[in-house]
């Protein structure tokens, strides 16, 4: 149980275009999902917390107009990188919190999405 | 903001050796987690620690939650090739804060 999927697993796009990444909890419901960014050989940095039915909470320094987050259902959150630039190239990882888990704070991670902006 | 200091940054060991890595924090966490990340994949939870002083094992892995709630260590005994990867500690409050990672390389 507790499987999180991401789609696509990798994407290459031209500078200036927008890219949407999906995060799904496959076998549980998640009122809260998290989006992380990981640059090569670095740790995971939290970008934003996505709450079902409400606005996302962004970490300091993360542009909310550039990284649009939508959490329309208990199993799906999307991250849209708008007007992507080469510096946005990174590994984007989502996680989901199982609202019914005994240890409800536990997060389950997706496999990540490799974004390359040319 | 909160930061975790994880050490060592990298380890090069022989197969069969034991491994030890640790994490310290400037602030208290109520939960400590240890993850392993393989290249191109998301982190996978190895061990979760919920109580100060708790010592928990998962196969060849053992982790402890420090009494002060500001530190944790992870030990891997009798390393095997599939242990290769990056290990992250993480402190959990309302959100996860990750350490910088320990890259483990094993020479056969």
């Amino acid at each position: 149980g507790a499987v999180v999927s991401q789609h696509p697993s990798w994407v290459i796009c031209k500078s200036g275009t927008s890219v949407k990444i999906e995060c799904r909890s496959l076998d549980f419901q998640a009122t809260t999902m998290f989006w992380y960014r990981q640059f090569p050989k670095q740790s995971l940095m939290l970008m934003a917390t996505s709450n079902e039915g409400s606005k996302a909470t962004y970490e300091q320094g993360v542009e909310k107009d550039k990284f649009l987050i939508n959490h329309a259902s208990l199993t799906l959150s999307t991250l849209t990188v708008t007007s992507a630039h080469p510096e946005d190239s990174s590994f984007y990882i989502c996680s989901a919190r199982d609202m019914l888990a005994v240890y409800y704070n536990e997060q389950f991670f997706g496999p990540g999405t490799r974004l390359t902006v040319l | 903001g909160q930061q975790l200091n994880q050490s060592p940054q990298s380890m090069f060991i022989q197969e069969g050796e034991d491994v030890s890595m640790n994490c310290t924090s400037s602030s208290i966490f109520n939960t400590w987690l240890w993850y392993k990340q393989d290249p191109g994949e998301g982190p996978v939870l190895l061990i979760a620690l919920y109580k100060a002083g708790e010592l928990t094992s998962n196969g060849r892995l053992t982790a402890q939650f420090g009494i002060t709630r500001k530190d944790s260590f992870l030990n891997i005994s009798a390393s095997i090739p599939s242990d290769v990867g990056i290990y992250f500690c993480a402190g959990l409050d309302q959100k996860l804060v990750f350490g910088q990672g320990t890259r483990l390389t094993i020479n056969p």
Side-chain angles (χ1 to χ4, degrees):
Chain A
V3 178
V4 177
S5 70
Q6 281 184 241
H7 179 80
S9 56
W10 60 269
V11 56
I12 301 173
C13 70
K14 292 182 179 180
S15 185
T17 61
S18 294
V19 174
K20 179 184 284 188
I21 303 170
E22 292 185 350
C23 177
R24 294 182 185 272
S25 57
L26 298 185
D27 51 1
F28 65 98
Q29 292 184 324
T31 52
T32 305
M33 292 185 174
F34 303 85
W35 287 96
Y36 296 83
R37 181 167 51 183
Q38 185 179 33
F39 291 108
K41 297 187 177 182
Q42 293 190 22
S43 188
L44 286 77
M45 296 299 295
L46 180 65
M47 299 175 65
T49 301
S50 169
N51 299 298
E52 187 265 338
S54 64
K55 290 183 179 180
T57 303
Y58 290 82
E59 295 299 300
Q60 190 173 7
V62 178
E63 300 174 58
K64 62 180 181 181
D65 294 329
K66 181 169 183 63
F67 298 99
L68 301 178
I69 292 173
N70 184 282
H71 193 154
S73 76
L74 288 174
T75 60
L76 173 64
S77 176
T78 60
L79 169 69
T80 301
V81 183
T82 63
S83 187
H85 291 287
E87 58 265 30
D88 298 323
S89 298
S90 188
F91 194 50
Y92 292 86
I93 308 172
C94 73
S95 70
R97 181 186 286 167
D98 184 350
M99 59 187 286
L100 298 179
V102 173
Y103 294 107
Y104 69 94
N105 269 333
E106 201 165 328
Q107 295 180 28
F108 301 96
F109 285 84
T113 296
R114 173 78 57 194
L115 170 63
T116 301
V117 184
L118 302 177
Chain B
Q2 295 173 313
Q3 290 187 336
L4 297 186
N5 293 313
Q6 185 173 347
S7 64
Q9 289 188 5
S10 59
M11 301 184 72
F12 299 85
I13 64 170
Q14 298 292 324
E15 183 177 350
E17 289 185 9
D18 296 342
V19 173
S20 184
M21 59 191 79
N22 68 79
C23 244
T24 59
S25 169
S26 58
S27 54
I28 290 173
F29 288 100
N30 292 318
T31 302
W32 281 89
L33 305 164
W34 285 92
Y35 291 88
K36 179 175 184 276
Q37 185 179 29
D38 291 326
E41 298 289 334
V44 174
L45 181 65
L46 299 174
I47 291 181
L49 301 159
Y50 300 102
K51 294 181 181 179
E54 179 181 358
L55 183 70
T56 298
S57 293
N58 178 9
R60 293 178 295 106
L61 278 61
T62 302
Q64 183 156 32
F65 190 156
I67 286 290
T68 65
R69 292 193 285 165
K70 292 183 177 182
D71 62 296
S72 177
F73 72 74
L74 173 71
N75 288 340
I76 305 173
S77 63
S79 59
I80 59 178
S82 61
D83 291 334
V84 167
I86 303 175
Y87 293 79
F88 289 99
C89 64
L92 176 62
D93 195 352
Q94 289 298 313
K95 52 189 179 183
L96 277 174
V97 178
F98 282 87
Q100 303 96 322
T102 295
R103 184 178 298 270
L104 179 61
T105 303
I106 298 177
N107 299 315

